[in-house]
Amino acid sequence: MQLKCAVIDDDSLFTKIIENYLSNIDIIHLEGIYHSPADALGKINFNEIDFLFLDMEMPDIDGISFINSLQVVPPIVVVSG
C-alpha cells in the first residue's frame, strides 16, 4: 500500500527539502508539488490524497483560508519557514 500526498508551499527550497525526505520513504507517493494554493485546487483530487503538507503563510491565501475552502480536508502536516 502506498500513501498519496501533495505539498503546497510557495518556497521552492522547502518543497525540495520535503521532496528529498519523501523520496527516501517507499510507502509514500508524492502526487505533486504546488507553489500556489490556486494551482493545487485545480489539480488535486482531495478525495484521493491521504495527507497534505501545507504552508500556513503564502502570498495569495493563507493556509487556514485554504483549508476552509476545501470540501474534503485530508489530514494536514503544517509546514512553515
Side-chain angles (χ1 to χ4, degrees), residues 24-63:
N24 294 310
I25 304 171
D26 293 336
I27 65 166
I28 296 178
H29 175 71
L30 180 58
E31 292 286 312
I33 294 175
Y34 305 93
H35 297 284
S36 157
D39 290 343
L41 278 175
K43 296 178 182 169
I44 297 176
N45 179 349
F46 290 94
N47 287 315
E48 295 180 4
I49 294 292
D50 294 303
F51 63 99
L52 179 66
F53 289 90
L54 178 65
D55 185 13
M56 287 290 115
E57 296 180 23
M58 294 178 280
D60 299 333
I61 181 173
D62 66 80

